[in-house]
Amino acid sequence: MTVSREIRLKNRPVGVPTASDFELASVDLAAPGPGEVQVKNLWMSVDPYMRGRMYDRPSYSPPFELGKAMQGGAIGQIVASHDPDYAVGDIVSSMFGWREAFNLSPKAMAAAGPMGALTKIDTHGLPPQTFLGILGMPGMTAYTGLLRIAALKDGDVVFVSAAAGAVGSIVCQIAKIKGHTVIGSAGGPEKVAFLKSIGVDHVIDYKATPDVVAELAKVAPKGIDVYFENVGGVHLEAAINSARPFARMALCGMISQYNEPGTPTGPANIIQAVGKSLRLEGFIVSNHYDLYPAFVKDMAAWIGAGKLKWEETVEEGIEHAPDAFLKLFSGQNLGKMLVKLA
Ligand SMILES: NC(=O)c1ccc[n+]([C@@H]2O[C@H](COP(=O)([O-])OP(=O)(O)OC[C@H]3O[C@@H](n4cnc5c(N)ncnc54)[C@H](OP(=O)(O)O)[C@@H]3O)[C@@H](O)[C@H]2O)c1
């Protein structure tokens, strides 16, 4: 018998979540049954989209159930196996994060779709948690949003918000690899220094800037062609204000509004989208996995050539997973926010 600790959603948070919205519980895990494997999670991801799953409302991803372990990306290791396709020691990715260990029948779960899948990973010598960050969903989001949704083309000036985070920092670097002028916005001097170290041309510390709209207009006097939207609110207003005709905006996320749906009511200047012929297009990365082979090929080449850098902010222990999640909303992560479980 193995004891696995897990984090359950206790209340549906109102406004900014607090530690009291989560509870730590323990479950006894029996030895895996016929056809089952047992997975010990090594790392789990906390992601901004999880805030959306805390509301009880229809969305592209179903609500978390109260009193049950939450879900999310995790990288684990097979510790017992009754499935010939999985050997003890194999590294696997799953959506069964927020817990230390679990049993699962890979064949039975394959029918449940991607949320139930257990995928073996060849790490190619990279740390396994890389597959929750630069080589995982956030990296794929950056690649998809910039190259497919915003349709980056030669000469574009690119503006990125939440630029020092998991997605934003990869967007900035792909744009730099492709020779673009990049403007990044992030909060605080440490993030500004990091963005300069990865070659971002102009960095806006939005927390030290009274007027983000005016600041973007100042650092991009000829305007921007692409906006990679992670934040919403005044950042979107700034991007619209500085957009050149036919600019494209990849609407990836709007974290400033996740805790207060409906606010702000703007952007107040959205009418400019008409006269400037702007294209604003939202996307969810899971709809774009046909790009995955191209993503892996390009990322492997860029990482191999030393052209991509990444940062991780790590909390240790399942009991600290809620803290890690909450820190996303106060910007206490540089690069990918992760929880180390073993
Ligand atoms: N569409 C998709 O399929 C998809 C997939 C993955 C992620 N996303 C979205 O992409 C965005 C980035 O996700 P991520 O995983 O890379 O997270 P992240 O950027 O690593 O972490 C979130 C960052 O957001 C910034 N932030 C938080 N509250 C803010 C506020 N009120 N105003 C301005 N900035 C704020 C913080 O940075 P500062 O210190 O700079 O404030 C924080 O570090 C999120 O909007 C997320 O929902 C979308």
Side-chain angles (χ1 to χ4, degrees), residues 30-294:
E36 288 188 339
V37 299
Q38 188 167 98
V39 179
K40 180 181 178 185
N41 276 336
L42 306 174
W43 294 87
M44 59 163 270
S45 178
V46 289
D47 298 276
Y49 79 86
M50 292 170 175
R51 179 65 183 93
R53 296 191 67 185
M54 293 175 190
Y55 293 99
D56 187 13
R57 65 179 182 205
S59 181
Y60 65 92
S61 200
F64 290 132
E65 289 182 59
L66 289 180
K68 293 209 173 149
M70 298 198 298
Q71 294 156 324
I75 300 290
Q77 189 159 32
I78 303 284
V79 290
S81 176
H82 297 301
D83 181 321
D85 293 339
Y86 294 83
V88 170
D90 281 352
I91 300 292
V92 288
S93 82
S94 79
M95 286 301 287
F96 295 99
W98 294 95
R99 70 204 75 194
E100 292 178 314
F102 59 94
N103 290 344
L104 172 146
S105 164
K107 293 203 171 51
M109 291 305 286
M115 295 294 272
L118 195 65
T119 307
K120 270 203 278 190
I121 290 180
D122 178 351
T123 63
H124 294 281
L126 288 162
Q129 72 273 21
T130 312
F131 293 82
L132 294 173
I134 186 167
L135 287 173
M137 184 275 281
M140 181 65 190
T141 302
Y143 187 89
T144 301
L146 188 63
L147 302 184
R148 172 174 278 175
I149 308 299
L152 188 69
K153 60 178 183 347
D154 286 354
D156 283 344
V157 173
V158 179
F159 175 45
V160 185
S161 55
V167 173
S169 60
I170 307 305
V171 175
C172 291
Q173 292 181 83
I174 295 176
K176 283 312 302 176
I177 288 168
K178 290 183 172 284
H180 295 266
T181 297
V182 178
I183 302 160
S185 172
E190 187 194 3
K191 295 187 180 190
V192 171
F194 168 66
L195 288 170
K196 288 188 174 159
S197 80
I198 59 171
V200 172
D201 300 278
H202 305 283
V203 185
I204 297 173
D205 178 352
Y206 77 92
K207 288 185 177 166
T209 305
D211 186 343
V212 176
V213 176
E215 190 62 23
L216 180 61
K218 194 169 99 190
V219 299
K222 294 182 180 165
I224 63 163
D225 305 284
V226 162
Y227 175 44
F228 196 103
E229 163 71 306
N230 286 319
V231 164
V234 73
H235 279 87
L236 181 53
E237 199 159 308
I240 291 170
N241 182 64
S242 285
R244 287 175 179 159
F246 303 102
R248 289 92 60 211
M249 305 199 178
L251 307 184
C252 174
M254 297 194 184
I255 193 169
S256 72
Q257 295 174 49
Y258 293 177
N259 294 314
E260 299 148 59
T263 58
T265 51
N269 59 354
I270 188 70
I271 192 169
Q272 291 186 33
V274 179
K276 291 180 177 178
S277 300
L278 305 184
R279 180 162 65 75
L280 286 73
E281 183 175 341
F283 73 102
I284 298 297
V285 66
S286 52
N287 294 325
H288 295 275
Y289 267 76
D290 58 301
L291 280 182
Y292 190 70

